[in-house]
Amino acid sequence: MRRFALIAVPYLWLLALFLVPFVIVLKISLSDSALAIPPYLPTLDLKAGWSGITEFFSQLDFENFVWLTEDDLYWKAYLSSLKIALVSTVLTLAVGFPIAYGMARAPQHWRATLLLLVILPFWTSFLIRVYSWMGILSQEGYLNQFLMGIGLINEPLIILNTNVAVYIGIVYTYLPFMILPIYSALEKLDESLLEAAEDLGCSRMSAFWLVTVPLSKQGIIAGSFLVFIPTLGEFVIPSLLGGSKTLMIGKILWEEFFSNRDWPVASAVAVILLLILVIPIILFQRNEQKQREAEG
Amino acid sequence: MRRFSWFNATSLTLGFAFLYLPMVILVIYSFNKSKLVTVWAGFSTKWYGELLNNDAFLDAAWVTIKVAVLSSTFATVLGTMAALVLIRSGRFFGRTLFSGMIYAPLVMPEVITGLSLLLLFIGIGLDRGVITIVLAHTTFAMCYVSVVVSSRLVSFDQSLEEAALDLGCSPFQAFRLVTLPIIAPAVISGWLLAFTLSLDDLVIASFTAGPSATTLPMKIWSSVRLGVSPEINALSTLMIGIVAIGVISASLISKRSAIQQQRDERAAERSDD
């Protein structure tokens, strides 16, 4: 009985507030938009009994999904989200790896402090971290003031409200997610392997590529997914730092819902976003599984 | 031991400068006298004064704290239960679904979580406000809590609890007197994580809040959409300060207790000899 209650309480909670809402999204994505409250049709009429239920199902269709393929705004938004997520994952890796490498090489007594310094931004507000770049990147912002002050440029650079600003924002906010798994892989690396490689005639550079990188592969993969997956549905960064030309699917969904009030289309956008996310999520899980097995 | 090279030192310096410079600039310019945010016009704390007189911000802050305390507490209870189920309960009907529902919200885009919960609340006719935000935050935060707590439960030696049962404890007593003190650090960090997630959340709160409740991130959002503002700089500085003090003191406390534990263990080993 007690065991039953222990299982039932969190189970029912998640069923009611995670699974059921998702089924509702699925259902509304198959409904039609309407000028009503709620703004979609059909609504399930249970009082009509069985005929009400069959009537309800017969009115569901894939019209919204067809609409998504016809209007090229959505295609472009999905593709551009994928591109932005991919490019920023590579950039974050390029910035994060040297930092993780430096941390793993740092003297033992520094490491706890360095680790704390990487985690600290994670606890501060995401919104504020994104916002802090608005003052830096704007036309009369600190970066342009600095560059013009030292005479490197004469005209202010236009960075804010472009995709460049979005990339900077993503790299900045997701950097800890990249650094931490790579650091934990590099920290476990047995240094005698590198010495052995060098004794056997490897240069330092080739020892790095042949030993260090393959042995930290799992950390690199984990970090990349931890950046790629949330970036794909990102809303705050493209809205604050991006411009009107920055197409990202999280932003489209938000606008479809709040500005156009087209709930069925917003739901269809959400369903497709989830379908796209399933692949990287499964790959990520598999990588984690492998790592756990390797550690025994 | 390999040398800590110039390359390593440079990448660490540049890396941490990148991580911290934007926030340092934000803090410095929050003391700027000028209304024009990017032009320095002398030191002043007037924006902090304006912030404290701004009722809209204070109300939003109050709502945010209420939501965060309630949702992180519920999330800790539910998340700890879920962790116990995942690690201890063995097989039961629908176990795969259960663990799927624990892990899925961790990778679910916030816009989808927000949208789906809003559609649920409208579907069942629940008035939107503080309650709906608390329900939404509890749901996604409990998954984080259960991940944190179950990583601690995995390494927990279950024979300790069995010993307590053999010695006449009821299962609940055994949990309260043996298991809970051992997993307490994980439960506390789960609570802190849930609390921060709730404080930080903009997207899910915007979907589920409705017109009657506004949280601090929503308030910040509507004002930063119009551009950089000195009041928001002041508010950000306060929030960064609170978090920095909290995290640093928490890490000092845990460091001290780790040292204490090492000492205790060494003392115990000596007395064994």
Side-chain angles (χ1 to χ4, degrees):
Chain A
M1 186 58 214
R2 199 173 277 117
R3 176 169 178 265
F4 178 76
L6 181 67
I7 296 176
V9 173
Y11 208 128
L12 290 176
W13 184 285
L14 285 171
L15 276 182
L17 286 143
F18 179 74
L19 202 63
V20 170
F22 187 68
V23 173
I24 297 177
V25 170
L26 205 59
K27 184 244 137 186
I28 293 181
S29 75
L30 301 174
S31 309
D32 293 326
S33 184
L35 281 174
I37 298 172
Y40 55 84
L41 280 172
T43 43
L44 184 56
D45 185 11
L46 279 177
K47 286 182 205 102
W50 183 245
S51 67
I53 295 173
T54 50
E55 172 78 16
F56 168 76
F57 276 103
S58 69
Q59 283 187 38
L60 295 180
D61 54 46
F62 289 91
E63 229 168 66
N64 297 307
F65 292 93
V66 175
W67 159 249
L68 290 192
T69 59
E70 279 166 357
D71 191 331
D72 62 352
L73 169 74
Y74 301 100
W75 273 117
K76 283 184 185 153
Y78 283 115
L79 286 178
S80 131
S81 298
L82 279 170
K83 192 193 108 195
I84 290 176
L86 202 64
V87 172
S88 34
T89 304
V90 174
L91 289 174
T92 315
L93 178 61
V95 176
F97 194 93
I99 301 175
Y101 191 76
M103 284 169 66
R105 283 271 175 280
Q108 190 78 44
H109 57 279
W110 287 9
R111 287 188 196 164
T113 313
L114 292 174
L115 206 55
L116 181 70
L117 283 174
V118 172
I119 297 170
L120 193 60
F122 172 76
W123 292 89
T124 43
S125 165
F126 182 82
L127 189 56
I128 288 174
R129 278 184 291 149
V130 177
Y131 164 72
S132 70
W133 283 93
M134 290 175 70
I136 298 175
L137 298 176
S138 68
Q139 261 199 59
E140 60 281 7
Y142 312 124
L143 182 67
N144 277 322
Q145 283 180 24
F146 174 73
L147 291 177
M148 286 178 16
I150 61 168
L152 206 62
I153 51 169
N154 297 319
E155 294 276 301
L157 298 172
I158 296 171
I159 306 176
L160 191 64
N161 301 331
T162 66
N163 280 0
V164 178
V166 175
Y167 289 132
I168 294 175
I170 295 173
V171 172
Y172 180 68
T173 44
Y174 287 101
L175 197 56
F177 292 102
M178 185 64 89
I179 294 177
L180 292 174
I182 297 180
Y183 167 75
S184 75
L186 286 174
E187 207 206 5
K188 276 181 258 159
L189 194 96
D190 185 354
E191 307 222 340
S192 57
L193 292 174
L194 287 171
E195 281 157 24
E198 280 174 31
D199 286 348
L200 292 170
C202 267
S203 68
R204 292 195 75 151
M205 212 45 193
S206 54
F208 173 78
W209 286 109
L210 293 172
V211 179
T212 310
V213 171
L215 285 176
S216 55
K217 197 178 80 188
Q218 305 251 306
I220 295 174
I221 295 174
S224 301
F225 279 122
L226 285 176
V227 176
F228 182 81
I229 294 170
T231 307
L232 208 54
E234 184 56 54
F235 163 73
V236 173
I237 297 174
S239 309
L240 277 189
L241 301 179
S244 51
K245 280 193 204 141
T246 308
L247 276 180
M248 280 195 83
I249 207 65
K251 208 174 126 193
I252 298 279
L253 194 157
W254 179 286
E255 280 161 10
E256 211 58 74
F257 191 85
F258 284 108
S259 311
N260 299 351
R261 296 193 57 78
D262 193 335
W263 295 14
V265 169
S267 303
V269 169
V271 170
I272 294 194
L273 175 57
L274 263 190
L275 289 179
I276 295 175
L277 273 170
V278 164
I279 304 163
I281 289 172
I282 289 175
L283 291 175
F284 174 65
Q285 291 276 0
R286 208 168 277 172
N287 182 56
E288 294 286 287
Q289 192 88 37
K290 232 193 268 172
Q291 206 166 344
R292 245 173 277 144
E293 279 162 13
E295 281 163 11
Chain B
M1 189 64 196
R2 301 205 135 218
R3 267 172 302 127
F4 180 63
S5 67
W6 275 109
F7 175 76
N8 298 147
T10 317
S11 58
L12 280 187
T13 315
L14 289 178
F16 283 103
F18 176 63
L19 274 177
Y20 283 91
L21 213 50
M23 283 190 264
V24 171
I25 294 174
L26 197 67
V27 170
I28 293 173
Y29 274 84
S30 73
F31 296 104
N32 185 4
K33 206 188 228 159
S34 164
K35 172 98 189 154
L36 292 167
V37 186
T38 50
V39 184
W40 182 260
F43 180 88
S44 145
T45 52
K46 73 170 175 185
W47 301 113
Y48 291 88
E50 300 224 342
L51 190 66
L52 293 177
N53 287 324
N54 187 332
D55 285 338
F57 274 114
L58 293 179
D59 287 346
W62 175 232
V63 170
T64 310
I65 291 171
K66 252 193 311 200
V67 168
V69 169
L70 287 173
S71 66
S72 57
T73 308
F74 293 146
T76 306
V77 174
L78 286 164
T80 307
M81 289 173 84
L84 287 167
V85 172
L86 279 178
I87 303 297
R88 294 282 188 77
S89 278
R91 289 168 171 281
F92 58 89
F93 180 72
R95 194 196 146 88
T96 318
L97 177 66
F98 185 72
S99 64
M101 289 194 299
I102 290 286
Y103 291 111
L106 304 178
V107 290
M108 188 70 91
E110 287 170 325
V111 277
I112 298 185
T113 311
L115 175 72
S116 64
L117 282 165
L118 171 61
L119 294 177
L120 171 81
F121 294 144
I122 289 173
I124 59 175
L126 193 61
D127 275 341
R128 281 176 293 149
V130 171
I131 296 171
T132 47
I133 314 176
V134 170
L135 287 174
H137 282 183
T138 304
T139 308
F140 84 95
M142 72 177 271
C143 302
Y144 285 89
V145 174
S146 87
V147 169
V148 173
V149 174
S150 47
S151 70
R152 177 86 184 184
L153 267 178
V154 168
S155 62
F156 171 75
D157 184 1
Q158 212 169 329
S159 58
L160 290 174
E161 205 178 279
E162 282 158 17
L165 292 172
D166 286 347
L167 292 169
C169 274
S170 72
F172 183 70
Q173 273 177 321
F175 175 77
R176 195 170 57 90
L177 296 171
V178 179
T179 315
L180 195 57
I182 293 177
I183 62 169
V187 174
I188 292 169
S189 39
W191 189 87
L192 283 172
L193 182 60
F195 188 78
T196 336
L197 287 169
S198 170
L199 279 189
D200 206 17
D201 169 64
L202 164 75
V203 175
I204 296 174
S206 302
F207 273 102
T208 53
S212 66
T214 305
T215 65
L216 202 51
M218 287 164 70
K219 189 78 196 132
I220 296 176
W221 173 253
S222 59
S223 89
V224 300
R225 294 221 64 171
L226 307 172
V228 183
S229 95
E231 273 182 314
I232 299 289
N233 285 357
L235 179 63
S236 307
T237 302
L238 289 178
M239 288 169 74
I240 292 172
I242 291 168
V243 168
I245 292 168
V247 172
I248 291 169
S249 50
S251 85
L252 287 179
I253 291 167
S254 73
K255 199 173 176 184
R256 190 174 298 166
S257 71
I259 292 171
Q260 184 65 42
Q261 200 180 348
Q262 268 177 2
R263 251 184 234 147
D264 291 350
E265 276 167 13
R266 237 174 278 147
E269 271 168 30
R270 266 199 301 275
S271 61
D272 279 348
D273 287 341

